[in-house]
Amino acid sequence: DGGITQSPKYLFRKEGQNVTLSCEQNLNHDAMYWYRQDPGQGLRLIYYSQIVNDFQKGDIAEGYSVSREKKESFPLTVTSAQKNPTAFYLCASSNRGGGNEQFFGPGTRLTVL
Amino acid sequence: SQKIEQNSEALNIQEGKTATLTCNYTNYSPAYLQWYRQDPGRGPVFLLLIRENEKEKRKERLKVTFDTTLKQSLFHITASQPADSATYLCALDGDNFNKFYFGSGTKLNVKP
């Protein structure tokens, strides 16, 4: 099946620890995205990548880092510098260019204790 | 960037009626506007895209309109069903077409 996967679905971490969220797609999409969603709020863009080995900051990149070493993979690291990391994290992919629909993964709910 | 407003109050309607959801934006007019459906605890699913030069788009029971003068898109679900109950998000392309800005969504409750 073609699709986009995220793991794990639930993640618990202690304050001050870095944590990496996985995102993999087999849709052959060039573009990949990371969003954060808080209760009652829309999706806010953290980072996006249009091509391998290149990525750009979104609106709320502080405290996060990414890499894009392979077309299929776009892992997100939530660092200890992120002041309020508890949230629902969504990864998406799409073809490059304007107007293309984004395919979303099932999300990872991160809770920092 | 872009400010997007969707009604934060839930929309409650009776099965069989038409649901109408609103998406307003305040800055530049986007070249593309998309609507997504999101169920609790899951990722959004794409429904429809409309371009700036299109006034209306339809897909089965769904209809989207786009008024660049009013800076508004309306999303209609005709003959609504309880299975249509979900949160609906609108998304507008960013200034470089490589990213989208999402609204906070409107929750639709369709009662049998």
Side-chain angles (χ1 to χ4, degrees):
Chain A
D1 286 339
I4 181 164
T5 58
Q6 293 183 243
S7 62
K9 188 157 181 66
Y10 298 97
L11 190 54
F12 297 89
R13 279 294 181 268
K14 290 184 180 178
E15 196 171 333
Q17 289 183 333
N18 291 355
V19 60
T20 297
L21 281 58
S22 168
C23 178
E24 304 276 333
Q25 55 100 0
N26 62 3
L27 300 168
N28 201 33
H29 286 158
D30 285 310
M32 296 188 74
Y33 310 81
W34 273 105
Y35 295 92
R36 168 183 173 139
Q37 187 173 35
D38 294 283
Q41 296 193 32
L43 281 63
R44 291 185 291 168
L45 184 64
I46 305 173
Y47 269 98
Y48 63 106
S49 168
Q50 294 293 307
I51 199 167
V52 174
N53 292 323
D54 187 47
F55 48 82
Q56 287 77 42
K57 292 182 179 179
D59 299 317
I60 56 165
E62 185 176 348
Y64 300 98
S65 67
V66 294
S67 63
R68 187 85 188 275
E69 297 176 0
K70 296 188 299 182
K71 186 175 184 177
E72 309 80 41
S73 178
F74 192 39
L76 173 74
T77 297
V78 184
T79 75
S80 57
Q82 167 51 232
K83 303 230 184 303
N84 186 18
T86 294
F88 188 47
Y89 290 89
L90 287 158
C91 180
S93 70
S94 73
N95 288 315
R96 288 181 67 186
N100 288 298
E101 67 176 280
Q102 295 192 6
F103 291 80
F104 283 84
T108 292
R109 190 167 298 279
L110 172 64
T111 302
V112 175
L113 306 170
Chain B
S1 66
Q2 183 71 274
K3 184 176 180 183
I4 304 166
E5 295 175 349
Q6 292 186 259
N7 195 341
S8 58
E9 289 185 18
L11 177 63
N12 298 305
I13 65 167
Q14 206 66 35
E15 182 177 7
K17 301 293 185 184
T18 296
T20 298
L21 307 176
T22 304
C23 175
N24 295 301
Y25 57 94
T26 57
N27 293 336
Y28 59 87
S29 280
Y32 307 95
L33 190 148
Q34 299 181 350
W35 283 89
Y36 288 79
R37 169 186 172 139
Q38 186 176 25
D39 291 287
R42 308 187 72 156
V45 175
F46 172 81
L47 296 174
L48 277 171
L49 174 146
I50 188 165
R51 294 176 171 79
E52 62 178 336
N53 60 351
E54 297 175 320
K55 295 275 192 240
E56 182 179 297
K57 201 79 168 282
R58 291 176 186 261
K59 179 182 177 183
E60 297 172 352
R61 294 184 296 112
L62 309 181
K63 183 177 86 171
V64 173
T65 61
F66 193 6
D67 189 326
T68 56
T69 302
L70 293 178
K71 295 191 174 182
Q72 182 181 81
S73 174
L74 298 179
F75 177 77
H76 307 272
I77 305 176
T78 59
S80 60
Q81 305 165 0
D84 294 326
S85 298
T87 295
Y88 291 86
L89 306 166
C90 70
L92 283 62
D93 64 273
D95 45 11
N96 62 2
F97 303 140
N98 288 326
K99 59 183 180 179
F100 276 80
Y101 294 101
F102 281 81
S104 56
T106 297
K107 186 173 182 182
L108 172 66
N109 296 314
V110 181
K111 304 189 177 188

